[in-house]
Amino acid sequence: MQLLQTPHFFTFPKTLNPTSKPHHHHHPCPLPLFPSKAPLLFSTTTTFTPNCFSSDEFPVDETFLESFGPKEKETEDEARIRNWVERDWAPWEEILTPEARFARLSLNEGEEVPLQSPEAIEAFKMLKPSYRKKKMEEMGLTEDDYYRKQFEIKGEIPEPLETLWATPLVVQHVVPRDWPPRDWEVDRKELEYIREGHKLESVRRVGLEELETEVKTETEDVCLDRYKVFLKQYKEWVEFNKDRLEEESYKYDQDYHPGRRKRGKDYKEGMYELPFYYPGQICLGKVTTLHLYQGAFVDIGGVYDGWVPIKGNDWFWIRHHIKVGMHILVEILAKRDPYRFRFPIEMRFVEPNIDHLIFNRFEFPPIFHRDDTNPDELRRDCGRPPVPRKDPGSKPEEEPLLSDHPYVDKLWQIHAAEQMIMDDLEANPEKYKDKKLSELTDDEDFDEENSVVYTKVYYKKTLLPKVILKTSVKELDLEAALTEREHHNKLRREAKERGEEYKITKLRRNIEMDEYDLIHWRRSYEEREALIRDISCRQALGLPSEEPGRYKDASFFGKDQYDRSNPLYRYDYWGEPKNSEESKQERMTDAHNKSIVGKGTVWYEMSYEDCIKQQMQREAKKLAQKDTDEEDSKRDYEDEDGDDDDDDEDDYDLISILRNYNVNDSNQPYVNGTESSRMSDEGMFED
């Protein structure tokens, strides 16, 4: 983003807008768009005659304005009305339809309450087309005159705004300092020749008090050679990139919004691209659109309309001074990325000057939120503060290094498929006879989206989840797997002849997995080293270790903060069921604690869960003793599975003690130091 760089001399002076009594004047002859190849870079003066210029500058006189005056016959009021009719909107002077007018005037009337106010009754009658036509005839107006009268500005109209200047406004031809654009090569000698103008501009300085003494009126020594060289390079760039820029516009800016790039039928040959403009440039333009929430848009002869930020109630003061169709002078304040910012050219009005009427400023320019952009990077590049989030509490520099590469799972799946095919090849060699492994195809069309299938299967009378991973034969390297299998078979036979045992330590795919894990570990190690180095440098320089404002305490967000992982915020969440295991445990715990002394506010050293845990341990000791006695008896091998099932049932009985606990049972045990007649307190207070 290129910001405003105000030169020392070639600037327009400060305006004089007294706060006690503002001066107003009728707007002079509208200023046109300069139709030549270097437009939009001149100005006019109101009370002073421009009588000073130098290299790469020229004054604006009355002859120039007569030659390049506005050619259109449409007045400002006609353009304003046409803009409102086309866009169905007008600032403050809202032209409501009969239905909308009736709805506004009868807000608290109608339906159960009859219409009472005469305005509401008249608005109700105006809903009928024949009654509207009758009213037009009574007023002696045609339909066009009637609707034109609706567009008349109602209320007090202030005097036109007058802009006063302390000194003459001098405008220049200067090559943009960011020329050439990125990834565009130009002749280096020509570029050095162009940039000499910037050096001359920075060296030559004239104060405002010396401006009147060095006035010249001759125009013979005006030199635009450097600017002509820039125009030649600029035309070459436009000719090469014009189609690409239009394609990118169709790709990114699919929806219409004011200030969008002009394309298709709206694009005209000779429109200026962004590299032509630079911050600080004075341009002549024409107001094309007024938007209540975003501002005014000015056509300065480019593919993008300039954006003047005005919003909200500021239009109440500005609406009489800035109208659609009027010609004005503007200054470019900033030039931004058109695919990141909604309005790439930000400007302000120079003549008429309305800066003293703007109170609601935009904190940040509007931006695009796209799915393919990083929100933190976008916010940082746009100069916006970070979005506060909860402090995770974990420090990345203290976390263990990562060594599990995400591609290893896929490699393991490929390795398992290759070995399964090799095993099938050894078991059924006739199946692969006269076939090349590289020419094998899938039995059915491979669908990558449905390559993972989740099912359930029974294992020992238990239904377990099963995941089926489908792999395409095209992803396998069967030739290398077959060569590796034959090599290991040969080594196995040789070891068997020697009477040795042959053992395969690692296969080719296993080594590849280890290499990927090593790469991932090394990357993780380097990232942590860089992070520790950055933290050390920040501490040495006294800088904060984290971005200020990025993390906030949990108290900053309040109690009911949205959490997408919490089922409470699920769209179909109806509350925790009363018969669920969790709510049942809570009810049992609450009933037990109240039954001890009768006060739920009393605190005890032993919790209910610890008491039940010790009870289960005592029951388990008794059952273990019982099982020891039973093991002395003789058992058959066939009955082992049945005994295991009995053990499982016993374990289930132990676990179900807590679940089947009834709060209304008269035999309910008293815990937390209270003796019970039904249960011994043995081991209750043991460490």
Side-chain angles (χ1 to χ4, degrees):
M1 181 178 67
Q2 185 177 2
L3 300 178
L4 172 62
Q5 299 174 355
T6 307
H8 297 281
F9 170 65
F10 301 111
T11 58
F12 55 90
K14 297 181 180 179
T15 56
L16 302 178
N17 290 316
T19 56
S20 59
K21 183 179 180 180
H23 297 276
H24 303 280
H25 83 296
H26 288 280
H27 190 74
C29 180
L31 300 176
L33 293 174
F34 190 33
S36 70
K37 295 302 179 182
L40 320 172
L41 299 168
F42 47 83
S43 67
T44 182
T45 58
T46 55
T47 57
F48 294 87
T49 302
N51 47 12
C52 174
F53 62 90
S54 61
S55 175
D56 291 349
E57 303 170 11
F58 57 91
V60 180
D61 52 9
E62 297 297 333
T63 306
F64 180 84
L65 294 177
E66 293 176 1
S67 302
F68 299 99
K71 301 299 187 294
E72 58 269 9
K73 302 297 182 181
E74 189 179 32
T75 62
E76 292 182 8
D77 292 337
E78 292 175 351
R80 176 170 59 90
I81 295 173
R82 179 179 52 79
N83 177 73
W84 290 355
V85 172
E86 290 177 356
R87 303 186 181 277
D88 299 326
W89 176 85
W92 257 263
E93 299 89 7
E94 296 182 359
I95 311 304
L96 300 177
T97 60
E99 293 79 9
R101 180 175 176 80
F102 169 70
R104 170 173 290 186
L105 295 176
S106 61
L107 289 177
N108 300 321
E109 302 175 6
E111 297 272 338
E112 293 127 9
V113 181
L115 299 177
Q116 298 177 358
S117 61
E119 294 84 1
I121 297 175
E122 181 68 18
F124 178 74
K125 293 180 180 179
M126 290 294 289
L127 295 177
K128 194 174 182 181
S130 59
Y131 185 80
R132 288 202 303 269
K133 188 175 181 180
K134 179 181 177 181
K135 294 293 291 184
M136 294 178 192
E137 293 176 355
E138 293 178 358
M139 297 171 64
L141 301 175
T142 62
E143 186 175 359
D144 294 339
D145 295 338
Y146 173 78
Y147 286 112
R148 187 178 294 107
K149 188 177 180 180
Q150 301 297 318
F151 280 89
E152 292 180 356
I153 298 178
K154 305 171 183 60
E156 183 180 357
I157 301 177
E159 297 180 4
L161 189 64
E162 181 181 5
T163 302
L164 301 180
W165 302 95
T167 52
L169 174 63
V170 181
V171 187
Q172 61 180 345
H173 273 313
V174 178
V175 179
R177 291 181 178 272
D178 60 348
W179 178 262
R182 184 180 299 177
D183 301 332
W184 180 254
E185 298 291 338
V186 297
D187 186 35
R188 300 194 65 84
K189 293 184 178 179
E190 292 182 354
L191 185 60
E192 292 178 1
Y193 177 68
I194 290 174
R195 291 181 175 174
E196 286 178 0
H198 299 150
K199 299 178 182 178
L200 295 175
E201 176 189 347
S202 61
V203 171
R204 186 175 182 275
R205 301 180 183 179
V206 178
L208 294 178
E209 62 278 358
E210 304 174 2
L211 185 62
E212 296 295 333
T213 60
E214 299 187 5
V215 169
K216 293 183 180 180
T217 57
E218 294 82 5
T219 59
E220 297 177 357
D221 59 344
V222 172
C223 179
L224 300 175
D225 295 338
R226 293 184 178 86
Y227 200 81
K228 291 178 181 178
V229 175
F230 158 70
L231 288 179
K232 179 181 74 69
Q233 296 182 356
Y234 166 77
K235 292 177 183 177
E236 295 175 356
W237 179 86
V238 171
E239 189 66 25
F240 186 82
N241 295 275
K242 180 171 61 175
D243 297 336
R244 177 184 63 84
L245 294 173
E246 187 167 359
E247 291 177 2
E248 290 181 354
S249 175
Y250 278 104
K251 178 181 178 181
Y252 293 105
D253 296 336
Q254 299 179 1
D255 300 329
Y256 173 80
H257 59 86
R260 188 187 66 175
R261 179 185 174 89
K262 298 173 185 175
R263 61 199 188 195
K265 63 179 182 179
D266 297 331
Y267 179 83
K268 297 180 182 179
E269 198 67 29
M271 284 187 170
Y272 295 95
E273 300 286 347
L274 275 182
F276 182 81
Y277 302 104
Y278 62 90
Q281 191 173 13
I282 306 296
C283 303
L284 249 176
K286 178 180 178 181
V287 180
T288 58
T289 306
L290 301 179
H291 198 286
L292 177 62
Y293 302 107
Q294 304 199 6
F297 295 89
V298 182
D299 181 12
I300 54 176
V303 293
Y304 293 97
D305 285 347
W307 171 58
V308 181
I310 305 171
K311 67 175 181 177
N313 293 333
D314 288 348
W315 276 116
F316 184 80
W317 318 102
I318 301 173
R319 59 189 169 129
H320 302 291
H321 308 299
I322 302 298
K323 301 178 181 179
V324 174
M326 68 183 299
H327 292 75
I328 42 82
L329 271 175
V330 291
E331 177 195 9
I332 297 179
L333 298 180
K335 181 174 69 172
R336 303 185 175 97
D337 183 1
Y339 303 113
R340 178 160 290 181
F341 293 87
R342 186 174 290 270
F343 312 121
I345 302 178
E346 182 179 351
M347 305 185 304
R348 76 180 188 92
F349 287 106
V350 175
E351 211 283 326
N353 182 27
I354 60 171
D355 288 349
H356 62 290
L357 300 177
I358 298 178
F359 301 95
N360 301 320
R361 301 283 181 177
F362 280 79
E363 295 183 4
F364 307 99
I367 59 179
F368 288 110
H369 289 276
R370 297 190 175 94
D371 297 336
D372 58 343
T373 56
N374 185 356
D376 291 334
E377 180 184 355
L378 176 65
R379 169 195 55 76
R380 196 175 297 110
D381 292 349
C382 298
R384 296 177 175 236
V387 178
R389 60 188 69 177
K390 288 185 179 180
D391 190 355
S394 60
K395 298 182 179 180
E397 64 273 11
E398 297 180 359
E399 295 180 356
L401 298 177
L402 302 176
S403 59
D404 297 332
H405 198 281
Y407 187 62
V408 168
D409 295 338
K410 182 66 175 178
L411 270 180
W412 181 261
Q413 180 181 346
I414 294 174
H415 171 65
E418 291 176 350
Q419 297 304 316
M420 290 172 62
I421 294 178
M422 292 298 105
D423 295 340
D424 187 54
L425 176 62
E426 291 182 351
N428 305 311
E430 297 179 356
K431 181 179 178 181
Y432 299 90
K433 190 176 181 180
D434 300 334
K435 289 185 179 180
K436 292 184 179 179
L437 295 178
S438 59
E439 297 177 356
L440 294 179
T441 57
D442 299 324
D443 296 338
E444 55 186 14
D445 294 339
F446 178 72
D447 187 5
E448 188 175 358
E449 295 182 357
N450 301 322
S451 60
V452 182
V453 181
Y454 297 93
T455 60
K456 292 184 178 181
V457 295
Y458 281 95
Y459 177 75
K460 291 185 178 182
K461 300 182 181 181
T462 305
L463 190 62
L464 300 177
K466 179 182 178 182
V467 181
I468 301 176
L469 303 177
K470 297 182 180 180
T471 308
S472 176
V473 181
K474 299 178 182 179
E475 300 178 359
L476 308 180
D477 191 359
L478 296 177
E479 296 290 346
L482 178 60
T483 305
E484 184 185 31
R485 177 64 67 92
E486 292 175 350
H487 174 68
H488 285 295
N489 291 339
K490 178 182 176 182
L491 295 179
R492 185 180 291 105
R493 288 194 300 268
E494 293 177 356
K496 187 176 181 181
E497 292 175 357
R498 295 193 302 267
E500 300 176 357
E501 182 181 0
Y502 180 73
K503 184 178 181 181
I504 302 176
T505 55
K506 284 187 178 181
L507 295 176
R508 175 178 57 89
R509 292 293 188 182
N510 300 123
I511 299 175
E512 189 175 357
M513 295 177 198
D514 294 341
E515 291 177 354
Y516 272 100
D517 286 339
L518 180 61
I519 292 174
H520 200 53
W521 177 87
R522 187 180 293 112
R523 184 187 296 117
S524 176
Y525 175 76
E526 292 174 355
E527 288 179 356
R528 189 172 72 170
E529 289 294 319
L531 180 61
I532 294 176
R533 197 161 48 244
D534 179 70
I535 294 175
S536 302
C537 294
R538 287 176 175 271
Q539 291 178 353
L541 297 175
L543 300 175
S545 58
E546 293 289 347
E547 186 177 6
R550 181 177 179 85
Y551 295 113
K552 298 287 187 179
D553 296 332
S555 59
F556 174 81
F557 302 95
K559 296 181 180 179
D560 300 329
Q561 181 68 12
Y562 172 73
D563 183 10
R564 63 175 62 187
S565 61
N566 192 341
L568 177 65
Y569 296 96
R570 201 173 57 222
Y571 72 97
D572 57 348
Y573 181 74
W574 286 80
E576 185 70 22
K578 294 299 182 182
N579 59 347
S580 67
E581 190 65 27
E582 182 179 357
S583 60
K584 185 177 180 181
Q585 298 290 346
E586 292 177 355
R587 293 198 306 271
M588 291 170 56
T589 303
D590 185 60
H592 169 77
N593 290 336
K594 289 182 179 179
S595 66
I596 297 172
V597 179
K599 296 181 180 179
T601 58
V602 179
W603 182 83
Y604 299 93
E605 293 184 357
M606 181 179 296
S607 64
Y608 172 72
E609 288 80 5
D610 294 341
C611 174
I612 296 299
K613 185 177 179 181
Q614 292 186 8
Q615 178 185 358
M616 293 172 61
Q617 291 176 358
R618 290 192 296 271
E619 296 290 340
K621 288 180 181 180
K622 295 180 181 179
L623 291 175
Q625 184 66 27
K626 183 179 179 182
D627 293 341
T628 305
D629 298 339
E630 292 179 356
E631 285 178 359
D632 297 338
S633 61
K634 188 175 180 180
R635 296 181 181 178
D636 297 336
Y637 178 78
E638 297 177 358
D639 298 333
E640 289 183 358
D641 295 337
D643 294 338
D644 292 340
D645 295 339
D646 294 340
D647 294 341
D648 295 339
E649 292 176 1
D650 295 336
D651 294 338
Y652 178 77
D653 293 339
L654 294 175
I655 298 174
S656 61
I657 292 176
L658 179 61
R659 298 182 179 177
N660 299 331
Y661 184 74
N662 190 1
V663 297
N664 298 324
D665 191 2
S666 59
N667 298 330
Q668 177 176 325
Y670 293 127
V671 296
N672 292 337
T674 305
E675 267 194 44
S676 174
S677 58
R678 299 300 182 98
M679 184 180 68
S680 172
D681 59 352
E682 179 182 356
M684 182 172 293
F685 300 102
E686 293 179 358
D687 294 337

